Amino acid sequence: MKQKLGLAYREGLVGYLFLMPVFVFYAIFLVIPFIFSLFLSFTEWGGFDLASIRWVGLANYRTLFSANSTFLHPILTNTFTFAFGTVAISFVCALAVAYFITRLRWEGLWRTLYFLPSVTTVVAIGNIWLYLYNPTNGLINEMFTWVGIPRQNFLQDPNTALTSVIVVGGWLGIGSSMLILSAGLKAIPEDYYEAADLEGGSVWKVFLGITLPLLKPSITFVLITSFIGGLQSFTLTMVMTRTGGPGDATNVAGLEMYKQAFSFGNWGLASAMAFVLFVCIMIITAIQMRFFRQGGVESY
């Protein structure tokens, strides 16, 4: 008995030793930065000398939620608008694309073509769309003139700037969402569709009664990861509008954190913003998981 316990102990010790590099990597690049950022959110620091860190308690959070703060509005409002908008566009389009390409020949080719934008750098995508949106000689405005629509200042007009960036973000997310949804569609057994055909179910009824319920696990994953990515995104906004302009029309939380930390040296305030956004992401993720917790092939 003692020999078996000793052998089990040695095997467990060897297993932990093999996992140790992962634990060390996880601690260095996630746990320690997380704790340090939480500490910084209660301090004032310029980002250079650690000795200059000054404890200010909840002052940074009070600044964010003060009456004259721009963090809640328009920055946080823009962030949620951007996240909801991009997720809505990418999810609806990806679901439609995935549904149709799984019923076409050369499915792999279509899947690859739709996924290509997802492996292209955001900087390149943003600059290409900058040319498309150009008010003077951009392709979109040229097409507008062909059909008699006045030219639009997409990124220079506060009323259209955020929507223009949302369209690009939604388009950019179609490929990765489509890949996951198409894999989920392929996992649904054909028996369900054959039974629905025998019962004379229409395409729309089959989609609502079979496809969507059995696709819930994939939908949950796509919505949660896409929404988290949308809330954290700032590269596309920075590339297309530089500073979140015009004014604060396209300024989002990620971009404001970057500016506060690296442009203004307000690391404490930037860390406080990060943790406010972290709490928002946790709450929304929990709501999504609760709403989509049931469903999938295993539920039937």
Side-chain angles (χ1 to χ4, degrees):
M1 185 67 177
K2 290 183 179 179
Q3 290 180 344
K4 291 183 178 180
L5 290 174
L7 180 61
Y9 175 79
R10 287 194 297 271
E11 289 178 350
L13 182 61
V14 170
Y16 280 112
L17 287 175
F18 277 110
L19 289 174
M20 191 59 65
V22 178
F23 290 151
V24 172
F25 183 89
Y26 185 81
I28 292 175
F29 293 101
L30 185 64
V31 177
I32 295 176
F34 181 87
I35 296 173
F36 184 61
S37 298
L38 181 60
F39 168 73
L40 283 182
S41 69
F42 299 100
T43 66
E44 184 180 281
W45 185 45
F48 295 100
D49 186 8
L50 291 175
S52 65
I53 296 177
R54 186 169 65 90
W55 182 265
V56 294
L58 296 173
N60 290 322
Y61 292 96
R62 284 195 292 267
T63 300
L64 294 181
F65 293 100
S66 63
N68 59 351
S69 173
T70 60
F71 180 69
L72 293 180
H73 182 76
I75 294 173
L76 206 58
T77 305
N78 290 344
T79 304
F80 280 99
T81 303
F82 178 84
F84 278 111
T86 53
V87 170
I89 293 173
S90 63
F91 172 73
V92 172
C93 294
L95 183 60
V97 170
Y99 183 80
F100 286 113
I101 67 172
T102 53
R103 286 156 176 76
L104 295 176
R105 295 179 59 189
W106 304 308
E107 177 187 342
L109 173 63
W110 297 114
R111 192 182 301 173
T112 302
L113 290 176
Y114 276 100
F115 186 68
L116 282 177
S118 299
V119 298
T120 307
T121 62
V122 177
V123 175
I125 294 293
N127 280 296
I128 290 172
W129 277 88
L130 274 176
Y131 286 111
L132 294 176
Y133 279 144
N134 190 291
T136 305
N137 54 8
L139 178 61
I140 296 177
N141 272 310
E142 291 294 331
M143 294 173 64
F144 279 0
T145 58
W146 295 343
V147 295
I149 300 176
R151 291 179 178 271
Q152 304 293 318
N153 293 320
F154 291 103
L155 298 174
Q156 290 75 34
D157 187 347
N159 296 318
T160 59
L162 184 59
T163 304
S164 301
V165 179
I166 287 173
V167 169
V168 180
W171 172 82
L172 186 58
I174 293 175
S176 55
S177 299
M178 176 274 303
L179 205 64
I180 297 168
L181 292 173
S182 61
L185 286 170
K186 298 292 287 185
I188 299 176
E190 288 294 329
D191 298 345
Y192 294 110
Y193 295 113
E194 292 174 0
D197 286 337
L198 292 175
E199 294 293 330
S202 64
V203 175
W204 183 243
K205 287 184 177 180
V206 170
F207 181 76
L208 293 179
I210 297 177
T211 304
L212 276 184
L214 297 181
L215 200 59
K216 264 192 176 182
S218 298
I219 292 174
T220 304
F221 181 81
V222 166
L223 290 179
I224 290 175
T225 54
S226 299
F227 198 80
I228 292 174
L231 290 175
Q232 295 176 333
S233 175
F234 78 96
T235 308
L236 183 64
T237 306
M238 186 169 63
V239 171
M240 298 188 69
T241 65
R242 307 307 176 195
T243 59
D248 278 328
T250 60
N251 199 9
V252 292
L255 181 57
E256 184 64 18
M257 290 178 219
Y258 177 87
K259 291 191 296 184
Q260 290 293 335
F262 294 101
S263 298
F264 308 138
N266 296 329
W267 283 79
L269 190 62
S271 298
M273 290 180 181
F275 277 94
V276 171
L277 188 62
F278 171 76
V279 172
C280 293
I281 291 174
M282 289 286 290
I283 293 173
I284 293 172
T285 301
I287 294 172
Q288 287 178 315
M289 293 189 69
R290 182 175 179 83
F291 185 76
F292 291 103
R293 64 183 175 181
Q294 295 179 345
V297 177
E298 65 278 4
S299 300
Y300 283 75

